[in-house]
Amino acid sequence: AVGNCPDRYNSAMLTGDIDSAMMSLLAHCIGSLHIGTELTSLSKSFVACIKQSTKYQQETVLYLAMSAFGACIFLSGGNGIGEVEVKSYQELNQIGERKKHLHLLYQNFFNEMYCYFWVGDYMKVFELSKKHKPTGQKRILEVTRTFFEGIASLTLARHTHQPNWRRIGEEALGKMIKWEKISSWNFEQHVKLLQAELHYLNGHMNSAEVAYKASIAAAREHKFTHYVALASELYGRFCVENLMSEKGAAQLQVAIDEYKQWGAMKKVRDVKAFMDTVNPSSIPRRLSGKI
C-alpha cells in the first residue's frame, strides 16, 4: 500500500486534485516511517511534504506531517532540522485542542509514544497511553501500539514484579497472535519477540533465546530493518543480564549495525552507551568505540 502512494500522488497532481495528492504524499511518509524506511531519505520526503502542504495551504496535512516528522528527527539525531519549521508536540497538541482535531491529537500521542518506546522509557509509554484509550480499530497504529505496550509491560513486569504488567503483556501477545494469523509477514517478528520477553519473564531462558533468534530471523526475512535492530538489542540485553557478556556484546553490535542501516543514530548512541556499562574485559575492543 505504501508503494502505491507515489503513483496516486502523481495521478492526483496531473488532474489538479491537490487534496488527494497531499494526502497520498502524507500517507507515503507516515507509512514509510512504520515499515522501517531509511530515516535520512525519509527525512527528505517529510521535508518535501511539509513544503508542498505549506505551498498549497493544506493545513491538516502540514500538522500531521510535522507530528510524524518529529519522531523521524528524534530517532535520526536531527536530519531535516532547519530545512522546514517543525512544531513541538506541545504546540501541535495546543493546535489540536483549539481546533478539536481528534486525529491530530491521536497522531501526536502515538508519535510521542513512539519516541519514548524506542529509547526504552517504558513508564512514559504508559503515562501517555493512559490519556488515550485504544480506538479498537485494526489500524496499523493500533497494532503497533499494542506491540509497543506489550514489550514495555513485560519488561516492567520483570523489573517490578507487579502482576498488572504481566497481564497487559500477555493480553498484547494474544492480540498480536490473532493479527499474525491475518498477516504473518507483517507480524511474525512481533509475536516472536513478545514470546521471547514472556519466556524471559517466566525464567524459561532456553525458550527465550530460541524466540529472540526467531524474531531476528523473521524480521530479517521480511526486510524490517528496525525490527531486526530491536530484536537484536533486546536479545543482547538478555544475554548481558544473564552473564553471557561476550554473546551479548556481539548481539548489541548487530543491533548497532542495523540501527545505522535504518539511520537511527539516536539508537546507535544509546546502545553504545549501554555497551560501555558492560564488563569491558568480556567485550572485544572493536565493539567498544564511540561514534
Side-chain angles (χ1 to χ4, degrees):
V2 173
N4 294 330
C5 291
D7 289 339
R8 290 199 295 268
Y9 166 80
N10 290 331
S11 296
M13 288 298 286
L14 285 172
T15 60
D17 186 352
I18 301 299
D19 291 352
S20 295
M22 291 299 98
M23 289 304 297
S24 294
L25 185 55
L26 176 67
H28 173 71
C29 291
I30 293 177
S32 295
L33 177 63
H34 295 302
I35 64 174
T37 297
E38 197 277 323
L39 294 174
T40 302
S41 61
L42 182 56
S43 293
K44 296 176 183 177
S45 296
F46 271 114
V47 168
C49 183
I50 289 171
K51 286 181 176 179
Q52 290 206 38
S53 57
T54 301
K55 175 181 177 180
Y56 293 111
Q57 299 181 332
Q58 295 283 315
E59 189 176 78
T60 296
V61 172
L62 173 64
Y63 292 142
L64 291 172
M66 284 184 179
S67 181
F69 189 29
C72 184
I73 290 172
F74 176 79
L75 284 170
S76 69
N79 280 325
I81 290 179
E83 295 188 52
V84 290
E85 178 192 6
V86 180
K87 296 184 182 298
S88 69
Y89 288 122
Q90 182 178 4
E91 292 172 315
L92 289 169
N93 280 330
Q94 290 172 349
I95 292 169
E97 289 165 2
R98 186 172 67 249
K99 295 179 176 292
K100 295 181 170 54
H101 196 322
L102 297 181
H103 185 47
L104 175 59
L105 290 171
Y106 188 84
Q107 288 283 337
N108 292 340
F109 146 69
F110 181 87
N111 290 319
E112 194 170 5
M113 181 188 72
Y114 187 89
C115 295
Y116 283 128
F117 173 81
W118 281 104
V119 296
D121 195 341
Y122 294 152
M123 287 304 301
K124 282 288 188 180
V125 167
F126 281 102
E127 285 177 18
L128 283 172
S129 287
K130 288 178 182 177
K131 301 176 184 177
H132 297 269
K133 293 182 179 179
T135 65
Q137 300 178 9
K138 295 181 179 179
R139 297 184 303 177
I140 187 60
L141 294 191
E142 286 293 295
V143 178
T144 305
R145 174 183 181 171
T146 296
F147 173 64
F148 285 177
E149 290 178 351
I151 294 293
S153 61
L154 291 172
T155 302
L156 290 169
R158 197 168 65 249
H159 291 164
T160 67
H161 307 291
Q162 294 179 5
N164 60 308
W165 295 124
R166 172 189 286 273
R167 176 184 55 77
I168 294 170
E170 290 175 341
E171 289 176 357
L173 175 57
K175 291 177 182 177
M176 291 306 307
I177 287 172
K178 291 179 181 179
W179 282 318
E180 183 192 19
K181 292 178 180 177
I182 297 172
S183 177
S184 61
W185 184 273
N186 285 323
F187 304 123
E188 180 185 2
Q189 55 279 334
H190 299 66
V191 169
K192 297 300 184 186
L193 193 53
L194 285 168
Q195 288 173 335
E197 290 292 300
L198 183 57
H199 285 313
Y200 186 10
L201 175 61
N202 290 333
H204 302 155
M205 302 308 186
N206 291 338
S207 296
E209 193 161 6
V210 169
Y212 282 122
K213 291 177 180 178
S215 179
I216 294 168
R220 197 178 298 283
E221 179 185 356
H222 302 156
K223 305 186 188 310
F224 293 120
T225 303
H226 55 329
Y227 289 133
V228 176
L230 176 63
S232 298
E233 179 187 356
L234 295 184
Y235 181 28
R237 289 176 180 270
F238 162 83
C239 291
V240 168
E241 290 167 6
N242 289 280
L243 306 180
M244 297 179 285
S245 295
E246 188 168 352
K247 183 186 289 187
Q251 286 302 316
L252 291 170
Q253 183 61 47
V254 171
I256 287 171
D257 293 342
E258 296 293 336
Y259 282 131
K260 281 183 179 177
Q261 186 175 335
W262 184 26
M265 300 312 294
K266 166 67 174 169
K267 284 298 303 179
V268 170
R269 289 191 289 270
D270 287 353
V271 176
K272 285 200 170 191
F274 174 71
M275 287 179 68
D276 286 343
T277 69
V278 181
N279 181 4
S281 65
S282 64
I283 301 178
R285 185 179 300 274
R286 68 180 183 85
L287 300 183
S288 57
K290 292 185 178 296
I291 295 175

